[in-house]
PDB file of all heavy atoms in Angstrom:
ATOM      1  N   SER B  96      12.541  12.360   7.896  1.00  0.00           N
ATOM      2  CA  SER B  96      12.566  10.946   8.180  1.00  0.00           C
ATOM      3  C   SER B  96      11.521  10.644   9.319  1.00  0.00           C
ATOM      4  O   SER B  96      11.093   9.518   9.307  1.00  0.00           O
ATOM      5  CB  SER B  96      13.895  10.442   8.355  1.00  0.00           C
ATOM      6  OG  SER B  96      14.337  10.832   9.712  1.00  0.00           O
ATOM      7  N   ILE B  97      11.461  11.629  10.221  1.00  0.00           N
ATOM      8  CA  ILE B  97      10.447  11.337  11.315  1.00  0.00           C
ATOM      9  C   ILE B  97       8.963  11.321  10.889  1.00  0.00           C
ATOM     10  O   ILE B  97       8.238  10.568  11.393  1.00  0.00           O
ATOM     11  CB  ILE B  97      10.636  12.548  12.448  1.00  0.00           C
ATOM     12  CG1 ILE B  97      12.067  12.262  13.029  1.00  0.00           C
ATOM     13  CG2 ILE B  97       9.566  12.330  13.355  1.00  0.00           C
ATOM     14  CD1 ILE B  97      12.410  13.325  14.083  1.00  0.00           C
ATOM     15  N   GLN B  98       8.745  12.101   9.855  1.00  0.00           N
ATOM     16  CA  GLN B  98       7.341  12.295   9.363  1.00  0.00           C
ATOM     17  C   GLN B  98       7.115  11.093   8.335  1.00  0.00           C
ATOM     18  O   GLN B  98       5.903  10.670   8.258  1.00  0.00           O
ATOM     19  CB  GLN B  98       7.046  13.603   8.592  1.00  0.00           C
ATOM     20  CG  GLN B  98       5.596  13.833   8.340  1.00  0.00           C
ATOM     21  CD  GLN B  98       4.977  13.213   7.231  1.00  0.00           C
ATOM     22  OE1 GLN B  98       5.743  12.867   6.215  1.00  0.00           O
ATOM     23  NE2 GLN B  98       3.691  12.941   7.219  1.00  0.00           N
ATOM     24  N   LEU B  99       8.117  10.494   7.820  1.00  0.00           N
ATOM     25  CA  LEU B  99       7.996   9.617   6.585  1.00  0.00           C
ATOM     26  C   LEU B  99       7.030   8.414   7.000  1.00  0.00           C
ATOM     27  O   LEU B  99       6.136   8.028   6.160  1.00  0.00           O
ATOM     28  CB  LEU B  99       9.365   9.116   6.166  1.00  0.00           C
ATOM     29  CG  LEU B  99       9.411   8.190   4.964  1.00  0.00           C
ATOM     30  CD1 LEU B  99       8.754   8.808   3.825  1.00  0.00           C
ATOM     31  CD2 LEU B  99      10.786   7.661   4.697  1.00  0.00           C
ATOM     32  N   PRO B 100       7.139   7.802   8.172  1.00  0.00           N
ATOM     33  CA  PRO B 100       6.462   6.583   8.332  1.00  0.00           C
ATOM     34  C   PRO B 100       4.812   6.892   8.355  1.00  0.00           C
ATOM     35  O   PRO B 100       4.025   5.982   7.936  1.00  0.00           O
ATOM     36  CB  PRO B 100       6.725   6.172   9.873  1.00  0.00           C
ATOM     37  CG  PRO B 100       8.085   6.651   9.998  1.00  0.00           C
ATOM     38  CD  PRO B 100       8.140   7.925   9.271  1.00  0.00           C
ATOM     39  N   PHE B 101       4.466   8.035   8.862  1.00  0.00           N
ATOM     40  CA  PHE B 101       3.102   8.509   8.741  1.00  0.00           C
ATOM     41  C   PHE B 101       2.505   8.455   7.344  1.00  0.00           C
ATOM     42  O   PHE B 101       1.409   8.031   6.984  1.00  0.00           O
ATOM     43  CB  PHE B 101       2.833   9.827   9.474  1.00  0.00           C
ATOM     44  CG  PHE B 101       3.193   9.865  10.878  1.00  0.00           C
ATOM     45  CD1 PHE B 101       4.409  10.354  11.349  1.00  0.00           C
ATOM     46  CD2 PHE B 101       2.404   9.247  11.880  1.00  0.00           C
ATOM     47  CE1 PHE B 101       4.788  10.328  12.669  1.00  0.00           C
ATOM     48  CE2 PHE B 101       2.806   9.386  13.251  1.00  0.00           C
ATOM     49  CZ  PHE B 101       3.959   9.891  13.574  1.00  0.00           C
ATOM     50  N   THR B 102       3.343   9.141   6.451  1.00  0.00           N
ATOM     51  CA  THR B 102       2.945   9.293   5.080  1.00  0.00           C
ATOM     52  C   THR B 102       2.895   7.787   4.498  1.00  0.00           C
ATOM     53  O   THR B 102       1.937   7.513   3.684  1.00  0.00           O
ATOM     54  CB  THR B 102       3.924  10.131   4.258  1.00  0.00           C
ATOM     55  OG1 THR B 102       3.747  11.489   4.793  1.00  0.00           O
ATOM     56  CG2 THR B 102       3.563  10.060   2.866  1.00  0.00           C
ATOM     57  N   VAL B 103       3.929   6.928   4.754  1.00  0.00           N
ATOM     58  CA  VAL B 103       3.937   5.709   4.106  1.00  0.00           C
ATOM     59  C   VAL B 103       2.811   4.774   4.655  1.00  0.00           C
ATOM     60  O   VAL B 103       2.105   4.123   3.821  1.00  0.00           O
ATOM     61  CB  VAL B 103       5.284   4.980   4.481  1.00  0.00           C
ATOM     62  CG1 VAL B 103       5.314   3.469   3.923  1.00  0.00           C
ATOM     63  CG2 VAL B 103       6.469   5.668   3.959  1.00  0.00           C
ATOM     64  N   PHE B 104       2.468   4.871   5.858  1.00  0.00           N
ATOM     65  CA  PHE B 104       1.400   3.983   6.358  1.00  0.00           C
ATOM     66  C   PHE B 104       0.088   4.455   5.719  1.00  0.00           C
ATOM     67  O   PHE B 104      -0.761   3.607   5.435  1.00  0.00           O
ATOM     68  CB  PHE B 104       1.254   4.063   7.928  1.00  0.00           C
ATOM     69  CG  PHE B 104       2.168   3.128   8.621  1.00  0.00           C
ATOM     70  CD1 PHE B 104       3.211   3.639   9.450  1.00  0.00           C
ATOM     71  CD2 PHE B 104       1.898   1.798   8.468  1.00  0.00           C
ATOM     72  CE1 PHE B 104       3.955   2.733  10.100  1.00  0.00           C
ATOM     73  CE2 PHE B 104       2.800   0.884   9.176  1.00  0.00           C
ATOM     74  CZ  PHE B 104       3.922   1.373   9.988  1.00  0.00           C
ATOM     75  N   LEU B 105      -0.199   5.757   5.626  1.00  0.00           N
ATOM     76  CA  LEU B 105      -1.273   6.225   4.855  1.00  0.00           C
ATOM     77  C   LEU B 105      -1.418   5.854   3.382  1.00  0.00           C
ATOM     78  O   LEU B 105      -2.344   5.323   2.959  1.00  0.00           O
ATOM     79  CB  LEU B 105      -1.413   7.814   5.020  1.00  0.00           C
ATOM     80  CG  LEU B 105      -2.391   8.532   4.120  1.00  0.00           C
ATOM     81  CD1 LEU B 105      -3.780   8.320   4.826  1.00  0.00           C
ATOM     82  CD2 LEU B 105      -2.112   9.981   4.126  1.00  0.00           C
ATOM     83  N   GLN B 106      -0.097   6.020   2.662  1.00  0.00           N
ATOM     84  CA  GLN B 106      -0.138   5.621   1.326  1.00  0.00           C
ATOM     85  C   GLN B 106      -0.498   4.112   1.065  1.00  0.00           C
ATOM     86  O   GLN B 106      -1.233   3.764   0.240  1.00  0.00           O
ATOM     87  CB  GLN B 106       1.283   5.898   0.790  1.00  0.00           C
ATOM     88  CG  GLN B 106       1.467   5.390  -0.531  1.00  0.00           C
ATOM     89  CD  GLN B 106       2.820   5.755  -1.076  1.00  0.00           C
ATOM     90  OE1 GLN B 106       3.423   6.884  -0.847  1.00  0.00           O
ATOM     91  NE2 GLN B 106       3.491   4.780  -1.703  1.00  0.00           N
ATOM     92  N   VAL B 107       0.121   3.291   2.006  1.00  0.00           N
ATOM     93  CA  VAL B 107      -0.049   1.825   1.832  1.00  0.00           C
ATOM     94  C   VAL B 107      -1.445   1.324   2.107  1.00  0.00           C
ATOM     95  O   VAL B 107      -2.011   0.464   1.422  1.00  0.00           O
ATOM     96  CB  VAL B 107       0.926   1.037   2.549  1.00  0.00           C
ATOM     97  CG1 VAL B 107       0.793  -0.413   2.503  1.00  0.00           C
ATOM     98  CG2 VAL B 107       2.347   1.452   2.326  1.00  0.00           C
ATOM     99  N   GLY B 108      -2.080   2.051   3.053  1.00  0.00           N
ATOM    100  CA  GLY B 108      -3.433   1.821   3.333  1.00  0.00           C
ATOM    101  C   GLY B 108      -4.349   2.156   2.361  1.00  0.00           C
ATOM    102  O   GLY B 108      -5.286   1.256   1.991  1.00  0.00           O
ATOM    103  N   LEU B 109      -4.121   3.166   1.560  1.00  0.00           N
ATOM    104  CA  LEU B 109      -4.908   3.554   0.303  1.00  0.00           C
ATOM    105  C   LEU B 109      -4.636   2.659  -0.860  1.00  0.00           C
ATOM    106  O   LEU B 109      -5.690   2.130  -1.388  1.00  0.00           O
ATOM    107  CB  LEU B 109      -4.625   5.027  -0.025  1.00  0.00           C
ATOM    108  CG  LEU B 109      -5.012   6.036   0.988  1.00  0.00           C
ATOM    109  CD1 LEU B 109      -4.384   7.283   0.561  1.00  0.00           C
ATOM    110  CD2 LEU B 109      -6.578   6.084   0.979  1.00  0.00           C
ATOM    111  N   THR B 110      -3.370   2.297  -1.118  1.00  0.00           N
ATOM    112  CA  THR B 110      -3.135   1.600  -2.299  1.00  0.00           C
ATOM    113  C   THR B 110      -3.313   0.060  -2.060  1.00  0.00           C
ATOM    114  O   THR B 110      -3.433  -0.703  -3.121  1.00  0.00           O
ATOM    115  CB  THR B 110      -1.601   1.733  -2.727  1.00  0.00           C
ATOM    116  OG1 THR B 110      -0.845   1.471  -1.662  1.00  0.00           O
ATOM    117  CG2 THR B 110      -1.394   3.171  -3.136  1.00  0.00           C
ATOM    118  N   SER B 111      -3.544  -0.369  -0.886  1.00  0.00           N
ATOM    119  CA  SER B 111      -3.939  -1.750  -0.580  1.00  0.00           C
ATOM    120  C   SER B 111      -5.425  -2.036  -0.505  1.00  0.00           C
ATOM    121  O   SER B 111      -6.005  -3.114  -0.398  1.00  0.00           O
ATOM    122  CB  SER B 111      -3.300  -2.320   0.815  1.00  0.00           C
ATOM    123  OG  SER B 111      -1.932  -2.165   0.833  1.00  0.00           O
ATOM    124  N   SER B 112      -6.221  -0.944  -0.540  1.00  0.00           N
ATOM    125  CA  SER B 112      -7.685  -0.947  -0.430  1.00  0.00           C
ATOM    126  C   SER B 112      -8.265  -1.203  -1.843  1.00  0.00           C
ATOM    127  O   SER B 112      -8.143  -0.435  -2.754  1.00  0.00           O
ATOM    128  CB  SER B 112      -8.237   0.263   0.140  1.00  0.00           C
ATOM    129  OG  SER B 112      -9.594   0.323   0.036  1.00  0.00           O
ATOM    130  N   LYS B 113      -9.169  -2.248  -1.922  1.00  0.00           N
ATOM    131  CA  LYS B 113      -9.912  -2.547  -3.187  1.00  0.00           C
ATOM    132  C   LYS B 113     -10.904  -1.407  -3.443  1.00  0.00           C
ATOM    133  O   LYS B 113     -11.331  -1.298  -4.431  1.00  0.00           O
ATOM    134  CB  LYS B 113     -10.443  -3.805  -3.158  1.00  0.00           C
ATOM    135  CG  LYS B 113      -9.386  -4.995  -3.291  1.00  0.00           C
ATOM    136  CD  LYS B 113     -10.010  -6.381  -3.430  1.00  0.00           C
ATOM    137  CE  LYS B 113      -8.921  -7.403  -3.622  1.00  0.00           C
ATOM    138  NZ  LYS B 113      -9.469  -8.757  -3.870  1.00  0.00           N
ATOM    139  N   ARG B 114     -11.419  -0.859  -2.253  1.00  0.00           N
ATOM    140  CA  ARG B 114     -12.316   0.273  -2.420  1.00  0.00           C
ATOM    141  C   ARG B 114     -11.798   1.535  -3.156  1.00  0.00           C
ATOM    142  O   ARG B 114     -12.401   2.169  -3.916  1.00  0.00           O
ATOM    143  CB  ARG B 114     -12.876   0.677  -0.939  1.00  0.00           C
ATOM    144  CG  ARG B 114     -13.933   1.719  -1.037  1.00  0.00           C
ATOM    145  CD  ARG B 114     -14.599   1.862   0.289  1.00  0.00           C
ATOM    146  NE  ARG B 114     -13.786   2.554   1.305  1.00  0.00           N
ATOM    147  CZ  ARG B 114     -13.793   3.764   1.496  1.00  0.00           C
ATOM    148  NH1 ARG B 114     -14.667   4.626   0.893  1.00  0.00           N
ATOM    149  NH2 ARG B 114     -13.008   4.300   2.390  1.00  0.00           N
ATOM    150  N   VAL B 115     -10.400   1.558  -3.020  1.00  0.00           N
ATOM    151  CA  VAL B 115      -9.846   2.713  -3.601  1.00  0.00           C
ATOM    152  C   VAL B 115      -9.233   2.389  -4.961  1.00  0.00           C
ATOM    153  O   VAL B 115      -9.427   3.074  -5.975  1.00  0.00           O
ATOM    154  CB  VAL B 115      -8.613   3.214  -2.706  1.00  0.00           C
ATOM    155  CG1 VAL B 115      -7.841   4.380  -3.357  1.00  0.00           C
ATOM    156  CG2 VAL B 115      -9.182   3.636  -1.344  1.00  0.00           C
ATOM    157  N   MET B 116      -8.499   1.207  -5.126  1.00  0.00           N
ATOM    158  CA  MET B 116      -7.704   0.893  -6.301  1.00  0.00           C
ATOM    159  C   MET B 116      -8.423  -0.212  -7.124  1.00  0.00           C
ATOM    160  O   MET B 116      -8.028  -0.475  -8.262  1.00  0.00           O
ATOM    161  CB  MET B 116      -6.477   0.333  -5.705  1.00  0.00           C
ATOM    162  CG  MET B 116      -5.503   1.280  -4.985  1.00  0.00           C
ATOM    163  SD  MET B 116      -4.900   2.729  -5.931  1.00  0.00           S
ATOM    164  CE  MET B 116      -3.687   1.815  -6.915  1.00  0.00           C
ATOM    165  N   GLY B 117      -9.610  -0.772  -6.585  1.00  0.00           N
ATOM    166  CA  GLY B 117     -10.233  -1.781  -7.384  1.00  0.00           C
ATOM    167  C   GLY B 117      -9.281  -2.997  -7.672  1.00  0.00           C
ATOM    168  O   GLY B 117      -8.628  -3.415  -6.774  1.00  0.00           O
ATOM    169  N   LYS B 118      -9.204  -3.509  -8.874  1.00  0.00           N
ATOM    170  CA  LYS B 118      -8.364  -4.696  -9.244  1.00  0.00           C
ATOM    171  C   LYS B 118      -6.887  -4.303  -9.263  1.00  0.00           C
ATOM    172  O   LYS B 118      -6.064  -5.208  -9.376  1.00  0.00           O
ATOM    173  CB  LYS B 118      -8.812  -5.232 -10.479  1.00  0.00           C
ATOM    174  CG  LYS B 118      -8.571  -4.342 -11.698  1.00  0.00           C
ATOM    175  CD  LYS B 118      -9.266  -4.917 -12.815  1.00  0.00           C
ATOM    176  CE  LYS B 118      -9.125  -4.106 -14.208  1.00  0.00           C
ATOM    177  NZ  LYS B 118      -9.717  -4.672 -15.480  1.00  0.00           N
ATOM    178  N   TYR B 119      -6.590  -3.055  -9.117  1.00  0.00           N
ATOM    179  CA  TYR B 119      -5.132  -2.650  -9.125  1.00  0.00           C
ATOM    180  C   TYR B 119      -4.630  -2.436  -7.692  1.00  0.00           C
ATOM    181  O   TYR B 119      -3.578  -1.881  -7.466  1.00  0.00           O
ATOM    182  CB  TYR B 119      -4.942  -1.249  -9.796  1.00  0.00           C
ATOM    183  CG  TYR B 119      -5.323  -1.419 -11.323  1.00  0.00           C
ATOM    184  CD1 TYR B 119      -6.503  -0.917 -11.847  1.00  0.00           C
ATOM    185  CD2 TYR B 119      -4.464  -1.935 -12.245  1.00  0.00           C
ATOM    186  CE1 TYR B 119      -6.854  -0.928 -13.256  1.00  0.00           C
ATOM    187  CE2 TYR B 119      -4.804  -2.026 -13.574  1.00  0.00           C
ATOM    188  CZ  TYR B 119      -5.902  -1.527 -14.013  1.00  0.00           C
ATOM    189  OH  TYR B 119      -6.364  -1.599 -15.334  1.00  0.00           O
ATOM    190  N   ALA B 120      -5.357  -2.755  -6.717  1.00  0.00           N
ATOM    191  CA  ALA B 120      -4.811  -2.899  -5.311  1.00  0.00           C
ATOM    192  C   ALA B 120      -3.629  -3.618  -5.084  1.00  0.00           C
ATOM    193  O   ALA B 120      -3.392  -4.529  -5.753  1.00  0.00           O
ATOM    194  CB  ALA B 120      -6.048  -3.261  -4.320  1.00  0.00           C
ATOM    195  N   ASN B 121      -2.795  -3.300  -4.127  1.00  0.00           N
ATOM    196  CA  ASN B 121      -1.555  -4.048  -3.835  1.00  0.00           C
ATOM    197  C   ASN B 121      -1.731  -5.513  -3.697  1.00  0.00           C
ATOM    198  O   ASN B 121      -2.829  -5.817  -2.947  1.00  0.00           O
ATOM    199  CB  ASN B 121      -0.842  -3.415  -2.602  1.00  0.00           C
ATOM    200  CG  ASN B 121      -0.441  -2.026  -2.781  1.00  0.00           C
ATOM    201  OD1 ASN B 121      -0.115  -1.553  -3.890  1.00  0.00           O
ATOM    202  ND2 ASN B 121      -0.386  -1.237  -1.717  1.00  0.00           N
ATOM    203  N   SER B 122      -0.921  -6.297  -4.119  1.00  0.00           N
ATOM    204  CA  SER B 122      -0.955  -7.781  -3.837  1.00  0.00           C
ATOM    205  C   SER B 122      -0.454  -7.761  -2.387  1.00  0.00           C
ATOM    206  O   SER B 122       0.062  -6.913  -1.714  1.00  0.00           O
ATOM    207  CB  SER B 122      -0.098  -8.362  -4.726  1.00  0.00           C
ATOM    208  OG  SER B 122       1.291  -8.192  -4.447  1.00  0.00           O
TER     209      SER B 122
END
């Protein structure tokens, strides 16, 4: 649980990026 925030912030940063996800980026 201590490590979890680091993984989540990384994951959300990637999935929110249009450079990574294109039109499928997070709303």
Side-chain angles (χ1 to χ4, degrees):
S96 70
I97 292 177
Q98 196 283 331
L99 184 61
F101 298 100
T102 295
V103 175
F104 278 117
L105 174 66
Q106 174 183 316
V107 181
L109 290 168
T110 55
S111 298
S112 170
K113 290 188 176 180
R114 184 167 72 95
V115 179
M116 300 290 287
K118 61 184 178 182
Y119 296 103
N121 296 332
S122 65

